[in-house]
């Protein structure tokens, strides 16, 4: 089209003036620069989009991650409304109590002092930190010594440079030594240690290597942490659930494992791997030595790669229970020496007593894998260059704390013990409080950071949920949020047996907040039942 001439511009202006004077609407074609209606622009724009919901990856579009799903999105919106309109927001509460995710620092847990001191000294230039004349007045000697050691391990490049794609060698040696000491001297090779952005990235590496086609199946517990169902869906595989027994403290029986595997084979699914979460998320169980050994033997028998999610290994609250690693179990069963088990285990600074979720620090140990496969996983890790350095450093500090007898050791252990005992008390407060509510049933949390109660759902709520196209426990969770400000995750997001309804809650907010939350759970449920029983 030729550019508009002066005469055409004048015609357009005259038409607009005349239209304004006589209240007559002139056709848009009379004005060369007139804008088409907004709806037309939107339609044309949509037609030009190459990437749409229809053309994008359907595995991504249909993937679900309940921990940050619809209920949490609604909670964030309410939180914004409260912040924007203090005193006039129209909600019957003044804040959202986020119990949907294991994010300790976000709900009040204080960071441990010594690791943060070391981190600060490592981040600072030497002249402003470890070499500053006042450093010894501000920091314990052990923090300064460790910061110097870390700076040396970083090759003088500081925390702003890339590291080796597996992670800094000195930190991987720390992890290997920690594993050996934890498992009674079972050897650990630093070259089989990968430092990753939390345990999540490591899980992603393994699942990417495992899911080679759409017939591959990954066995995972039901209920399970949604990263497994989401990742398997995204990668185009099949999640093969094995049910944990709620009536038996969420244990997994060999009979159930065999049933699940046999059913998958009948469907043409080729199961090649098995996920164990111990201590459990969302169920909070701590498996017995026999149960862990049985699972290792099951995987060896059926040639399944074992993915051992052990990020809550420090969070064991019952004195009669203890954490028993899959690697130790495999060793005790003689499965490591003869190479009959391939296993990857995961740990993280996000959980335990550190709670450093934002640092994104974790590790993975590979045991029994073909060396060529390890090389391919290394290639995958290399494509991400390296995991973040603050996370790597925090992993090193987690697995090797202050030297025994140093000026920082006692205070560090006291801080950890204080956090642990408070978590133990809160787990009991919430579990007993929920069990006191008629219609609720909650198994004790022997470990981890969660409770997974079942809730009797009135028939009216089930019918209403069906009308809305949501699960009954999603209907319940949204109702709870709007009435009390408590944000939980519907049980359906983790998987559960048909006919069971419930939710997952953390017990991470303060003891005072959790005591108040338990009372609100009870009051709301009474109103909820009344509303949907009419």
């Amino acid at each position: 089209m030729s550019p508009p001439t002066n005469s055409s511009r004048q015609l357009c202006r005259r038409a607009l003036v005349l239209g304004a004077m006589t209240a007559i609407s002139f056709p848009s074609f009379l004005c060369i620069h007139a804008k088409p209606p907004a709806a037309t622009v939107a339609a044309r724009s949509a037609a030009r989009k190459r990437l749409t919901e229809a053309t994008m990856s359907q595995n991504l579009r249909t993937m679900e991650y309940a921990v940050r799903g619809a209920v949490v999105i609604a909670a964030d919106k309410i939180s914004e409304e409260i912040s924007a309109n203090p005193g006039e927001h129209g909600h019957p509460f003044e804040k959202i109590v986020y119990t949907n995710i294991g994010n300790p620092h976000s709900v009040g847990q204080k960071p441990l002092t010594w690791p943060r001191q070391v981190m600060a000294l490592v981040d600072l230039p030497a002249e402003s930190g470890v070499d500053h004349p006042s450093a010894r007045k501000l920091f314990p000697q052990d923090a300064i010594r460790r910061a110097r050691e870390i700076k040396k391990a970083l090759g003088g490049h500081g925390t702003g440079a890339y590291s080796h794609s597996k992670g800094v060698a000195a930190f991987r040696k720390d992890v290997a030594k920690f594993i050996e000491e934890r498992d009674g001297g079972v050897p650990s090779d630093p070259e089989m240690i990968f430092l990753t952005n939390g345990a999540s990235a490591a899980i992603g590496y393994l699942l990417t290597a495992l899911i080679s086609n759409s017939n591959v199946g990954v066995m995972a517990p039901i209920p399970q942490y949604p990263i497994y169902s989401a990742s398997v869906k995204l990668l185009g595989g099949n999640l093969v659930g094995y049910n944990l027994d709620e009536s038996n403290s969420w244990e997994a029986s060999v009979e159930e494992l065999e049933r699940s595997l046999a059913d998958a084979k009948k469907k043409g699914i080729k199961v090649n791997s098995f996920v164990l979460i111990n201590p459990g998320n969302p169920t909070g169980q701590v498996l017995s030595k026999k149960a862990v050994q049985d699972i290792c033997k099951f995987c060896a028998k059926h040639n399944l790669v074992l993915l051992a999610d052990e990020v809550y290994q420090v969070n064991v609250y019952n004195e009669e229970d203890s954490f028993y690693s899959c690697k130790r179990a495999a060793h005790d069963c003689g499965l490591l020496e003869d190479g009959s088990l391939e296993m990857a285990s995961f740990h993280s600074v996000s959980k335990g007593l550190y709670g450093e979720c934002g640092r994104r620090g974790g590790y993975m140990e590979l045991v029994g894998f073909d060396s060529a496969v390890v090389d391919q996983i290394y290639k995958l890790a290399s494509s991400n260059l390296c995991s973040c350095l603050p996370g790597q450093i925090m992993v090193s500090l987690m697995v090797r704390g202050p030297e025994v007898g140093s000026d920082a050791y006692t205070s560090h252990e006291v801080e950890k013990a204080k956090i642990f005992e408070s978590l133990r008390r809160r787990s009991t407060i919430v579990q007993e409080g929920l069990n006191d509510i008629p219609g609720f049933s909650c198994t004790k949390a022997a470990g981890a950071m969660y409770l997974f109660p079942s809730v009797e759902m009135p028939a009216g709520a089930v019918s209403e949920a069906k009308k809305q196209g949501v699960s009954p426990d999603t209907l319940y969770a949204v109702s709870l949020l709007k009435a009390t400000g408590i944000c939980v995750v519907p049980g359906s997001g983790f998987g559960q047996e048909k006919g069971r309804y419930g939710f997952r809650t953390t017990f991470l907010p303060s003891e005072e907040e959790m005591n108040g939350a338990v009372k609100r759970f009870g009051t709301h449920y009474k109103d909820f039942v009344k509303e949907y029983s009419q």
Side-chain angles (χ1 to χ4, degrees):
M1 178 183 290
S2 302
T5 62
N6 287 335
S7 58
S8 66
R9 290 195 183 98
Q10 291 172 356
L11 175 61
C12 181
R13 283 197 291 270
R14 289 173 184 171
L16 288 173
V17 171
L18 181 59
M21 293 174 61
T22 61
I24 296 173
S25 296
F26 277 73
S28 60
F29 64 79
L30 286 178
C31 299
I32 295 173
H33 292 297
K35 294 182 178 179
T40 303
V41 173
R44 290 175 181 170
S45 178
R48 289 198 303 268
K49 298 296 185 186
R50 182 64 186 87
L51 185 62
T52 67
E53 280 200 322
T55 62
M56 71 182 294
S57 163
Q58 295 305 293
N59 288 341
L60 173 58
R61 189 183 68 79
T62 57
M63 182 188 85
E64 295 183 0
Y65 186 64
V67 172
R68 290 182 182 264
V71 179
V72 184
I73 293 171
D76 289 342
K77 183 178 180 182
I78 292 173
S79 183
E80 291 173 2
E81 291 170 356
I82 292 173
S83 297
N85 304 286
E88 299 179 354
H89 48 73
H91 298 285
F93 45 83
E94 293 302 319
K95 64 175 289 189
I96 298 294
V97 179
Y98 285 99
T99 69
N100 64 294
I101 192 168
N103 192 11
H105 292 184
S106 72
V107 288
Q109 179 176 309
K110 292 183 178 179
L112 294 168
T113 304
W114 177 79
R116 289 297 185 92
Q117 290 173 327
V118 177
M119 287 289 302
L121 288 166
V122 173
D123 270 335
L124 285 168
E127 63 272 17
S128 302
V130 293
D131 292 339
H132 192 278
S134 299
R136 291 175 180 240
K137 298 178 183 178
L138 298 172
F139 298 94
Q141 182 60 30
D142 191 73
I144 297 172
R145 181 198 60 77
R146 188 63 176 275
R148 289 187 187 278
E149 180 186 324
I150 290 172
K151 281 178 170 286
K152 183 178 179 180
L154 295 176
H157 305 305
T159 57
Y162 293 132
S163 75
H164 189 283
S165 293
K166 288 184 181 180
V168 175
F171 303 161
R172 288 186 279 125
K173 290 178 181 178
D174 287 340
V175 172
K177 185 178 180 182
F178 161 79
I179 292 171
E180 288 184 359
E181 292 177 352
R182 181 198 68 189
D183 292 338
V186 181
S188 177
D189 182 357
E191 286 304 310
M192 294 297 107
I193 304 292
F194 287 71
L195 302 182
T196 56
N197 288 325
S200 302
I203 292 166
Y205 290 163
L206 257 294
L207 291 176
T208 299
L210 285 162
I211 299 175
S212 57
N213 59 64
S214 60
N215 288 327
V216 169
V218 179
M219 289 185 69
I222 298 298
Q224 51 89 33
Y225 177 47
I227 191 172
Y228 294 102
S229 54
S231 298
V232 171
K233 177 69 175 177
L234 181 63
L235 294 167
N238 301 275
L239 191 78
V240 177
Y242 62 90
N243 294 316
L244 303 179
D245 186 357
E246 187 170 9
S247 66
N248 189 28
S249 301
W250 298 108
E251 284 272 344
S253 70
V254 174
E255 293 75 18
E256 170 59 17
L257 303 186
E258 294 287 0
R259 179 209 61 78
S260 174
L261 180 59
D263 285 355
K265 288 180 178 178
K266 289 177 183 177
K267 297 174 183 176
I269 298 172
K270 296 181 179 179
V271 177
N272 67 2
S273 49
F274 184 102
V275 174
L276 174 64
I277 309 174
N278 182 44
N281 176 9
T283 50
Q285 89 280 9
V286 177
L287 295 181
S288 65
K289 286 187 176 182
K290 181 181 183 304
V292 179
Q293 289 184 358
D294 284 345
I295 287 170
C296 289
K297 292 175 183 177
F298 174 83
C299 290
K301 173 184 175 182
H302 295 287
N303 197 24
L304 304 179
V305 175
L306 174 58
L307 280 64
D309 187 332
E310 300 174 334
V311 301
Y312 299 101
Q313 58 189 263
V314 177
N315 303 95
V316 178
Y317 307 120
N318 291 343
E319 292 184 1
E320 62 271 23
D321 293 326
S322 61
F323 172 72
Y324 183 59
S325 76
C326 283
K327 185 177 182 183
R328 178 63 184 270
H331 168 77
D332 291 346
C333 294
L335 301 174
L336 296 185
E337 289 69 15
D338 65 5
S340 58
L341 181 64
E342 298 157 78
M343 179 181 67
S345 63
F346 313 105
H347 196 10
S348 169
V349 302
S350 299
K351 313 304 177 186
L353 304 177
Y354 273 60
E356 294 277 5
C357 300
R359 299 288 176 182
R360 306 313 300 135
Y363 75 72
M364 166 178 69
E365 182 188 28
L366 301 180
V367 177
F369 282 83
D370 185 287
S371 60
V373 171
V374 175
D375 289 344
Q376 295 302 317
I377 293 172
Y378 173 48
K379 179 176 70 176
L380 180 58
S382 299
S383 70
N384 291 316
L385 299 177
C386 71
S387 60
C388 68
L389 261 296
Q392 292 189 39
I393 294 168
M394 196 61 75
V395 168
S396 172
L397 299 176
M398 176 184 72
V399 299
R400 181 162 72 91
E403 294 291 336
V404 176
S406 70
D407 50 354
Y409 178 79
T410 300
S411 61
H412 182 65
E413 292 302 309
V414 168
E415 286 183 11
K416 289 199 300 180
K418 185 177 179 181
I419 292 170
F420 179 85
E421 291 302 327
S422 180
L423 285 170
R424 194 209 303 261
R425 286 194 300 271
R426 279 175 275 169
S427 71
T428 302
I429 288 169
V430 180
Q431 185 258 340
E432 291 181 351
L434 293 177
N435 271 334
D436 286 341
I437 301 171
F440 277 46
S441 178
C442 187
T443 302
K444 185 176 182 179
M449 299 175 171
Y450 314 99
L451 290 161
F452 195 65
S454 64
V455 178
E456 292 179 11
M457 204 65 61
V462 176
S463 297
E464 179 59 27
K466 187 175 183 180
K467 290 178 185 177
Q468 294 186 21
V470 299
S471 68
D473 41 22
T474 297
L475 179 77
Y476 165 83
V478 171
S479 173
L480 176 72
L481 171 67
K482 291 181 177 179
T484 68
I486 300 171
C487 180
V488 298
V489 186
S492 54
F494 301 88
Q496 54 194 346
E497 291 190 355
K498 187 176 181 180
R500 184 195 190 274
Y501 307 110
F503 59 88
R504 187 192 78 168
T505 179
T506 71
F507 41 82
L508 292 174
S510 69
E511 292 177 41
E512 181 182 357
E513 276 193 305
M514 292 315 300
N515 270 311
V518 167
K519 293 177 182 177
R520 281 182 277 169
F521 274 120
T523 301
H524 167 263
Y525 183 65
K526 188 181 295 184
D527 294 339
F528 182 81
V529 170
K530 184 178 180 180
E531 178 182 355
Y532 288 104
S533 296
Q534 295 174 352

